[in-house]
Structures are given as C-alpha cells and as structure tokens.
C-alpha cells in the first residue's frame, strides 16, 4: 500500500480508514494490532519481537488500534478501528524498545488522533548495521519479519547476515583506503 510509504507525520485519518475499507492485508511491511498492552512482560516482549523483526527485514509499520481478522486463506486483514485511549502508551512502548532491543532501533512513532482516541503508528526502518537482538526478557534472540509473520532467525541466517555485514565493511574500507 503506497500510503504507508509516506512519512508518519503525513499520514491522516483518511489513510487509516482506506486501509480498513480496502482490507489491505498484513504483509512484509505492515502489521495491525488491536491493542497495546504493556502491563505484562510477555506483551512487552511481543512488541520488541515485532518491531525488531521489521528492522531486521525490510522495515515496516505496526499500527496499534486496528482489529484484524484472519481469513480462511490465512490472510490477515483489518476490520475496524479500536482507538487507543491511554495517552502514555507511546512513551511506554518507546521505553520498552529502547531498553530491550540492541543495537537501538532506528524508528519513528506517531499518535494519530481519531474519534474516540488514536492509533499508534510505529515505523521501524531497515537496519544498516548489525542485526537487532531482543536482549530483554531473558531472550537474547534475533527476529525477522517474513511475509505476515515475525519469527525467530535461524543460526544460519544470523551467520549469513553478519558475514554480509563484514563484506560491506571491507568494501567501505577499500574505498576509503585503496592501499589496504
């Protein structure tokens, strides 16, 4: 969906309504969440996995405050707004992510006001350096967004990504100092 390519600051309520009306499915760069509960460790952990999984893939947006439904074919589509009302949710989510995902995420958040509350938009930008790891909650794992799901990365995938990062750094070093 092209509207998700806009900066979060440029998104409007009409864009969110269009996602729902068009039943734009979750996918590689989009996830819907009905609520944002940050009371329990398992819920905080889920948020850290989701956002870091996007950053370790191609980046993406999580929209909190939209109820979703899984269709018979497994496609997950939005069905209605469920506006959030807790005004501290954004700051609490940012605190959770900043204290549990390392290296720190390159992300943007926005509370988009709607009738009855707001939706919370979280954009995780694709990483440019090392993989993001969820270090909080006794986890110590890397996650990856694949299709419409976030899953744990395999050891092989982790090794491949770090080898690719080392090759990129080597090329940069050669460009900066051709004699090396």
């Amino acid at each position: 969906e092209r509207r998700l390519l806009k900066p979060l600051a440029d998104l409007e309520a009409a864009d969110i309504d269009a996602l729902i009306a068009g039943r734009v499915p979750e996918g590689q760069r989009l996830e819907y969440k009905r609520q944002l509960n940050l009371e329990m460790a398992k819920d905080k952990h889920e948020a850290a996995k989701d956002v870091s999984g996007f950053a370790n893939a191609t980046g993406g947006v999580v929209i909190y405050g939209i109820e979703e439904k899984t269709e018979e074919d497994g496609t997950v589509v939005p069905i209605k707004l469920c506006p959030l009302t807790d005004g501290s949710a954004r700051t609490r989510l940012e605190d959770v992510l900043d204290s549990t995902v390392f290296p720190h995420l390159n992300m943007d958040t926005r509370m988009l006001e709607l009738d009855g509350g707001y939706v919370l938009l979280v954009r995780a930008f694709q990483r440019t350096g090392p993989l993001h790891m969820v270090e909080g909650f006794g986890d110590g794992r890397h996650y990856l967004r694949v299709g419409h799901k976030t899953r744990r990365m395999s050891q092989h995938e982790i090794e491949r990504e770090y080898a690719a990062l080392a090759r990129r750094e080597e090329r940069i070093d050669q460009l900066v100092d051709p004699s090396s």
Side-chain angles (χ1 to χ4, degrees), residues 82-136:
C82 294
L84 306 177
T85 57
D86 177 359
S88 70
R90 176 186 188 175
T91 301
R92 291 185 312 129
L93 176 62
E94 289 170 345
D95 289 346
V96 165
L97 297 173
D98 283 345
S99 65
T100 61
V101 179
F102 298 97
H104 292 291
L105 294 159
N106 181 9
M107 64 178 201
D108 191 15
T109 61
R110 177 170 180 217
M111 292 170 58
L112 180 58
E113 299 294 327
L114 305 167
D115 290 338
Y118 65 93
V119 293
L120 179 59
L121 306 160
V122 179
R123 171 168 282 136
F125 295 97
Q126 183 177 11
R127 70 179 176 81
T128 57
L131 291 167
H132 296 284
M133 177 187 284
V134 177
E135 291 185 359

Side-chain angles (χ1 to χ4, degrees), residues 148-167:
H148 69 276
K149 296 186 185 255
T150 300
R151 65 165 175 78
R152 222 171 100 191
M153 291 181 77
S154 70
Q155 187 62 36
H156 172 73
E157 289 171 318
I158 295 166
E159 289 170 1
R160 186 181 65 223
E161 289 299 320
Y162 276 103
L165 180 61
R167 286 190 302 273

Side-chain angles (χ1 to χ4, degrees), residues 28-41:
Q28 185 66 35
R29 301 197 59 168
L30 176 63
E31 181 162 2
Y32 305 106
K33 296 285 188 179
R34 182 178 191 280
Q35 59 189 4
L36 176 59
N37 182 355
L38 295 171
E39 302 307 316
M40 309 273 296

Side-chain angles (χ1 to χ4, degrees), residues 6-78:
K6 295 181 189 179
L8 293 187
D10 294 343
L11 287 173
E12 301 172 353
D15 295 313
I16 302 303
D17 292 339
L19 291 172
I20 296 168
R23 297 175 58 90
V24 175
E26 287 187 346
Q28 185 66 35
R29 301 197 59 168
L30 176 63
E31 181 162 2
Y32 305 106
K33 296 285 188 179
R34 182 178 191 280
Q35 59 189 4
L36 176 59
N37 182 355
L38 295 171
E39 302 307 316
M40 309 273 296
K42 70 179 183 65
D43 298 319
K44 295 175 187 177
H45 184 220
E46 183 70 21
K49 287 173 19 180
D50 289 338
V51 179
S52 68
F54 275 119
N56 284 335
T58 57
V61 177
V62 181
I63 305 175
Y64 294 93
I66 296 181
E67 186 172 337
E68 72 276 8
K69 173 186 171 192
T70 303
E71 301 284 6
E72 287 182 23
D73 65 359
T75 304
V76 179
V77 296

